[in-house]
Structures are given as C-alpha cells and as structure tokens.
Amino acid sequence: MILFNLVCLFACLLGFSEGSISQGACTGRGSKKIVESWRCNRDGSAECSEETNDCDCNNSGIRIGGTAYYDKYGKFTHADGGGWDCRSNCSGRPSTYGGGQSRRTTNEWCG
C-alpha cells in the first residue's frame, strides 16, 4: 500500500494527466515487467510509451503507463502519464517512420 501511495504522490507532483495507474491482484509473483514502445512519425515527431507491471511477493501489483511526445526537432512537448525518452530510436532517420518495442523483466527473491 505504501508503494501505491508513493506512486500517486509522484503522479500528482509530475502532473500526470491521462496516463494510467491501477492496483490489484497480479500474476508473476515478485516480478517487474517493463514494456517500452516507440513510434517515429512521418513528420519527424516521436511518441514514446512505457508500461510497468510491478507484482510484489504477495501477488499485489501496480500497473503504470504513459506516453511522452516529442516534436520533429526532438523537443519534448507533453506527456500523458509519463513515458520515456525514445528520441535516439528515431533520430538520423527523418525520412523513415515506424516503431518498435522492447521488453524486460526483473525478479525479486520472495523467499
């Protein structure tokens, strides 16, 4: 519960507006899964999304997600709940557009 309260506090401080935060039962006891995805748009702008699913040793979890937006010059414009800096995945390819996704998982020892 403390983790959830801290996340809510940081969300308020950072001005999260449309990202998502949810809490509840989870699968994957003691694991933290992070999915980062990015989209490089034709106009040179970028959208960088991140979703984190954190499941503690009691199978109580929290999910946090959001997207950061960058203009064609690489300048941050706004975020809906967070996101990450994916500009390096799109830079140097102004005529190329597309996207991708990466996933990583860490595990906590639950004894």
Side-chain angles (χ1 to χ4, degrees), residues 15-71:
F16 288 178
S17 57
E18 295 181 28
S20 68
I21 299 175
S22 61
Q23 180 182 16
C26 61
T27 57
R29 181 176 179 248
S31 68
K32 182 175 187 176
K33 299 173 185 169
I34 300 170
V35 177
E36 294 176 331
S37 58
W38 62 93
R39 182 186 320 224
C40 309
N41 298 312
R42 287 180 190 246
D43 66 358
S45 63
E47 300 170 24
C48 315
S49 300
E50 182 176 67
E51 182 176 296
T52 301
N53 291 294
D54 197 351
C55 189
D56 68 19
C57 292
N58 297 317
N59 284 331
S60 178
I62 187 165
R63 185 178 64 82
I64 304 169
T67 303
Y69 299 88
Y70 296 87
D71 67 17

Side-chain angles (χ1 to χ4, degrees), residues 63-80:
R63 185 178 64 82
I64 304 169
T67 303
Y69 299 88
Y70 296 87
D71 67 17
K72 64 182 177 180
Y73 304 107
K75 181 180 174 190
F76 173 78
T77 61
H78 68 285
D80 292 336

